Amino acid sequence: MGLSWRHLVDLSQPGSVWRLLAIVFALLNLKSLPFAWHIRLLYGVLRHVPPRPHRSGPSALFQPVIISSHSSLLECDYNIHKSNSTYFSDLDVGRLHLTACLMQLGMHRARAELNAQKKGSFNIMLGAVTCSFRREIRPYEPFEVWTRVLAWDRKWFYLVSHIVRKGAVRPKAYTLQPWRNETVGAGRKGEDEVEKKEDARGGEVKGVGVHPAIFATSLAKYVFKQGRMTVPPETVLLMSGLLPPKPKGEGEAPVEKEDRSTPALSELPNGTIGAVALEVPTVLPEEEVDASLEPESADGVWDWDRAERERARGMRAAEAMAGLEALHDVFTAEKGPALGQF
């Protein structure tokens, strides 16, 4: 005999109270149940199919994708706030939405062209991720993950994510969802009001340049691979229609020393997409880099120089992640004793 909802909530049945409590507990912790993370990632992929040309072009390259979530009870630690290890599952979902939204067409084109050469399958892989925590997230407190492109070099593609209090900040507009623009003005809070609430909660010092609604900030770097070959991020961005035309006569930056275990795209045979120019990070004058902080130019057009200034500005923060690689060398291994094995 099958079970009905009436049978499940009938408190006169044996074990019905525990059954009902188990259902309520599961509903309150849906995002922490087995395979919930996989389902969220699958939705992120399907939400942005089929691959299509990006309607906004280069102006959308550095715009964030926003997802909403909350801290379930199963994500909380003994301090009764979101455990630091659970931040990364939400960050995974935010980064997948961004790459699927912005670059799915470019990855589809690169996969089709490079797979034809039978040099291995095309893929994007996470190389490193780090997170800096600022404020606690309480049980069932809603938050948003804002993820955007930070920078890239000839190998790595850097994404920055900010976890912020839900509703505390609104973008100026929604490029791909114009129907949401009607709520931007109504839902936007004044900066003074937000700061007052944050000061009362955590004693945040004003004037330090950090938005008071930020819970945590994460930096991740990805690499595009075709088998053992590294595909420069610039190639995928160009195939996605996200980079402005490169000016004629633009000189190539000097080739930096790199890991020869993974050949660059420029080493491919003729007739491949290796004709795309490879850029390495350039150091721009401080005033030029800071000028790229302007959200919009006079005519609202993103040209190559402006995109390059923003990329170089992002590299100033992204290059700090390179220092993490040196930590592999401090592993003591068998060089000394250990406290114990537990």
Side-chain angles (χ1 to χ4, degrees):
M1 183 176 65
L3 294 177
S4 64
W5 281 106
R6 179 176 298 178
H7 178 78
L8 291 175
V9 299
D10 187 357
L11 299 183
S12 64
Q13 298 292 328
S16 59
V17 174
W18 291 108
R19 196 159 46 238
L20 181 60
L21 289 176
I23 294 174
V24 172
F25 183 79
L27 292 175
L28 291 175
N29 294 276
L30 279 177
K31 66 174 291 190
S32 302
L33 296 181
F35 304 108
W37 178 80
H38 301 81
I39 294 174
R40 294 171 71 194
L41 291 181
L42 180 61
Y43 170 77
V45 174
L46 298 178
R47 179 67 176 79
H48 305 285
V49 296
R52 59 177 66 90
H54 210 278
R55 290 175 290 176
S56 301
S59 64
L61 176 56
F62 295 100
Q63 293 180 8
V65 161
I66 306 170
I67 65 166
S68 298
S69 188
H70 66 278
S71 175
S72 67
L73 185 61
L74 288 179
E75 290 183 318
C76 295
D77 58 19
Y78 50 81
N79 290 315
I80 319 299
H81 61 216
K82 183 175 175 66
S83 174
N84 55 14
S85 62
T86 64
Y87 282 73
F88 294 95
S89 59
D90 291 302
L91 292 168
D92 286 340
V93 177
R95 292 194 303 265
L96 184 138
H97 270 277
L98 178 73
T99 53
C101 178
L102 275 184
M103 306 178 66
Q104 190 160 193
L105 177 64
M107 291 189 291
H108 176 74
R109 289 174 173 174
R111 182 178 294 111
E113 186 164 346
L114 291 173
N115 284 354
Q117 303 173 26
K118 299 181 180 179
K119 294 181 178 291
S121 60
F122 178 85
N123 204 354
I124 177 174
M125 293 176 285
L126 182 66
V129 61
T130 183
C131 189
S132 176
F133 307 100
R134 289 188 56 81
R135 296 182 179 278
E136 67 175 0
I137 300 180
R138 296 164 178 164
Y140 297 102
E141 183 170 4
F143 59 84
E144 295 173 337
V145 182
W146 292 50
T147 304
R148 71 172 182 89
V149 174
L150 179 68
W152 62 91
D153 55 28
R154 66 180 303 158
K155 179 177 180 179
W156 297 108
F157 185 58
Y158 298 92
L159 302 181
V160 62
S161 299
H162 295 94
I163 300 179
V164 302
R165 179 170 295 105
K166 187 172 183 178
V169 62
R170 291 286 189 273
K172 288 188 174 181
Y174 294 92
T175 302
L176 299 182
Q177 300 171 330
W179 63 87
R180 293 182 180 270
N181 292 336
E182 298 178 359
T183 64
V184 170
R188 197 177 185 92
K189 292 185 178 181
E191 196 71 22
D192 293 339
E193 179 183 352
V194 175
E195 287 187 358
K196 287 179 182 178
K197 291 183 178 180
E198 293 299 324
D199 291 341
R201 177 179 177 179
E204 183 73 15
V205 178
K206 296 183 181 180
V208 296
V210 178
H211 198 287
I214 294 178
F215 289 124
T217 299
S218 174
L219 177 62
K221 66 177 183 179
Y222 287 85
V223 62
F224 297 98
K225 285 287 188 178
Q226 176 71 18
R228 289 176 53 83
M229 179 189 67
T230 298
V231 180
E234 182 181 300
T235 298
V236 183
L237 291 173
L238 285 169
M239 287 188 163
S240 302
L242 292 169
L243 279 181
K246 193 171 185 178
K248 292 182 179 180
E250 178 78 11
E252 293 188 10
V255 178
E256 65 178 359
K257 202 172 184 180
E258 63 173 340
D259 181 10
R260 306 307 296 174
S261 62
T262 54
L265 191 64
S266 58
E267 298 173 0
L268 288 176
N270 293 333
T272 68
I273 58 176
V276 176
L278 301 181
E279 295 291 334
V280 295
T282 54
V283 180
L284 298 181
E286 189 83 12
E287 59 273 12
E288 289 188 30
V289 174
D290 291 339
S292 66
L293 292 170
E294 303 259 344
E296 292 186 4
S297 59
D299 55 4
V301 175
W302 276 81
D303 56 14
W304 178 272
D305 291 336
R306 187 181 176 197
E308 179 61 17
R309 287 197 303 270
E310 181 64 22
R311 184 196 69 83
R313 184 174 73 93
M315 281 303 303
R316 285 164 49 186
E319 286 171 350
M321 180 173 266
L324 296 177
E325 298 295 329
L327 295 179
H328 297 308
D329 298 330
V330 303
F331 177 50
T332 58
E334 69 281 358
K335 298 177 182 179
L339 289 176
Q341 185 171 340
F342 305 99

